[in-house]
Amino acid sequence: WSSFNGGVLALGLGCDDDGDPDGEGRTVTDLIMPSLNRLTGTLPSELRHLRHLKRIFIHKNKGLRGTIPTELGELSELRMIALMDNALTGTIPQEFSSLERLERVLLDSNGLTGDTAEGALDWIEGKANLIHLSVGFNNIIGTLPESIGGLTSLELLSLSDNGLHGPLPTSIGALKSLKFLALDDNSLTGDLAVLGKLSNLTQLYLESNPFGESNATVVTETFLSGLERLRHVDLSNCSLSGRVPSHLIGTNYAELEVLDLSLNSLEGELVLPSKDEYAAAWNESGFGSTLSYLSLGSNHIGGTIPTEIGLFGNLTVLDLSRNSFVSAANSTKGSGIPSELG
């Protein structure tokens, strides 16, 4: 490091004794520098001498600049590289391709650059042990490579707020362990049907991508079917057209907590489970007990607001504004709002 600019340096070093009671065989396995530091300078290439290093965690030091040392690729024991919220620049080293034991790569909120057409993500190929890959809020451009489907242990994938474009690779459907997918705030397009095989997915954040341009994704009654474990879904501002997917608020999606489909061009009427269907599903799976946030604002949804929406007792945010709902006979003073909702 070049310097420490005021404050206290909190340096965490984890060590293994290798069975030596005198500590003579002690080796450094963990390098941890949390956010209370005020580090300045660059990451030294001399880190390569910590050949038993397993985990690097350096978080929220905006004075930490420069590139990620290519020499990290020599640390064959590395399981985790976590360098979030710093001021690192340059590309992700291709030398990471030799780190076969990598389980977590967390590089969010830096100034990293690269074009996937020029190999910016080639280093992920064959990373069968990778569990978390998070490189959001950087400047990675290009299309998502098909090699992403080889990350068969992946549980979290976040590439939010980069410069990605084009369709999702068909190979993404091979990520059977994936639970968290965040690709929001890019320029991704194409059909979302490729996500239908991600049966373990619980959190899906794809907002602010033009998936529906040129009718590439048209919402039908099979939209996101097979993803019944979903809890959080944000597909707002995605140029989606077609019928409002009432089935996502149906009894098959008993764990759903958040659904945001605002700022699209969805049509049709909102149809919810009847009171009897709701009661039966409540007894069987607890359906209706989790939904707390529902936003369908700024679409073209018509008909009346269904009275059944009042059955969702934990709903704290409901946005149906800027649609084409009409008043029902039981609405409050002709507002279109069912009296059941007060």
Side-chain angles (χ1 to χ4, degrees):
W1 266 256
S2 299
S3 64
F4 300 110
N5 202 10
V8 178
L9 170 63
L11 172 61
L13 292 177
C15 299
D16 284 344
D17 287 342
D18 290 340
D20 185 350
D22 297 323
E24 293 180 3
R26 185 170 294 178
T27 56
V28 176
T29 58
D30 296 85
L31 177 60
I32 301 173
M33 295 186 177
S35 56
L36 59 88
N37 291 301
R38 296 181 182 176
L39 299 181
T40 63
T42 60
L43 289 170
S45 60
E46 286 79 7
L47 287 172
R48 70 180 184 276
H49 297 306
L50 301 176
R51 57 190 180 88
H52 297 284
L53 202 61
K54 295 180 180 179
R55 285 166 288 272
I56 301 174
F57 184 97
I58 303 174
H59 176 226
K60 202 173 265 189
N61 287 281
K62 291 301 184 181
L64 185 60
R65 60 187 187 275
T67 60
I68 301 173
T70 60
E71 289 82 2
L72 293 186
E74 300 176 26
L75 301 176
S76 60
E77 298 292 324
L78 270 180
R79 270 72 162 178
M80 180 176 77
I81 302 173
L83 301 171
M84 309 84 66
D85 282 293
N86 296 297
L88 299 171
T89 56
T91 59
I92 303 172
Q94 290 300 326
E95 286 76 6
F96 282 10
S97 61
S98 63
L99 300 176
E100 297 179 357
R101 299 186 179 186
L102 267 184
E103 297 174 356
R104 291 173 173 81
V105 177
L106 312 173
L107 302 174
D108 300 270
S109 300
N110 282 285
L112 300 174
T113 57
D115 188 338
T116 61
E118 298 174 359
L121 292 177
D122 283 1
W123 59 272
I124 69 172
E125 189 166 356
K127 289 285 182 294
N129 294 317
L130 201 61
I131 299 172
H132 291 178
L133 174 59
S134 191
V135 194
F137 304 94
N138 283 287
N139 296 299
I140 310 296
I141 66 172
T143 60
L144 285 170
E146 287 288 342
S147 58
I148 210 162
L151 307 179
T152 51
S153 298
L154 204 63
E155 296 180 4
L156 180 150
L157 174 60
S158 176
L159 292 165
S160 304
D161 207 341
N162 277 284
L164 299 171
H165 61 83
L168 299 179
T170 56
S171 64
I172 202 169
L175 303 181
K176 305 299 185 184
S177 299
L178 199 65
K179 299 177 181 178
F180 182 106
L181 177 60
L183 300 173
D184 53 280
D185 294 280
N186 284 288
S187 297
L188 297 169
T189 57
D191 193 352
L192 292 177
V194 295
L195 302 179
K197 296 180 180 179
L198 304 180
S199 57
N200 285 308
L201 202 63
T202 61
Q203 298 184 69
L204 177 62
Y205 303 101
L206 299 178
E207 65 269 23
S208 298
N209 283 287
F211 286 110
E213 281 191 353
S214 303
N215 292 324
T217 292
V218 176
V219 178
T220 68
E221 64 276 2
T222 62
F223 184 66
L224 299 184
S225 62
L227 306 183
E228 281 82 10
R229 295 187 180 182
L230 284 172
R231 295 181 180 178
H232 287 209
V233 178
D234 194 339
L235 281 161
S236 58
N237 193 30
C238 284
S239 303
L240 298 178
S241 60
R243 308 290 289 181
V244 57
S246 299
H247 64 281
L248 294 182
I249 320 172
T251 55
N252 287 337
Y253 293 80
E255 299 179 35
L256 190 67
E257 300 172 10
V258 174
L259 177 61
D260 192 342
L261 292 169
S262 60
L263 298 167
N264 284 295
S265 298
L266 300 172
E267 302 174 329
E269 296 187 15
L270 183 59
V271 180
L272 298 181
S274 68
K275 189 173 182 178
D276 289 341
E277 290 172 326
Y278 182 100
W282 173 281
N283 292 330
E284 182 179 342
S285 65
F287 169 75
S289 63
T290 58
L291 188 64
S292 62
Y293 184 105
L294 176 61
S295 180
L296 300 173
S298 297
N299 281 283
H300 307 301
I301 305 169
T304 59
I305 298 174
T307 59
E308 292 84 359
I309 208 162
L311 297 172
F312 294 88
N314 288 323
L315 198 61
T316 57
V317 175
L318 173 62
D319 182 5
L320 301 176
S321 62
R322 297 179 296 280
N323 277 288
S324 302
F325 291 109
V326 297
S327 296
N330 65 337
S331 65
T332 303
K333 296 181 180 180
S335 65
I337 301 175
S339 58
E340 288 84 351
L341 297 181

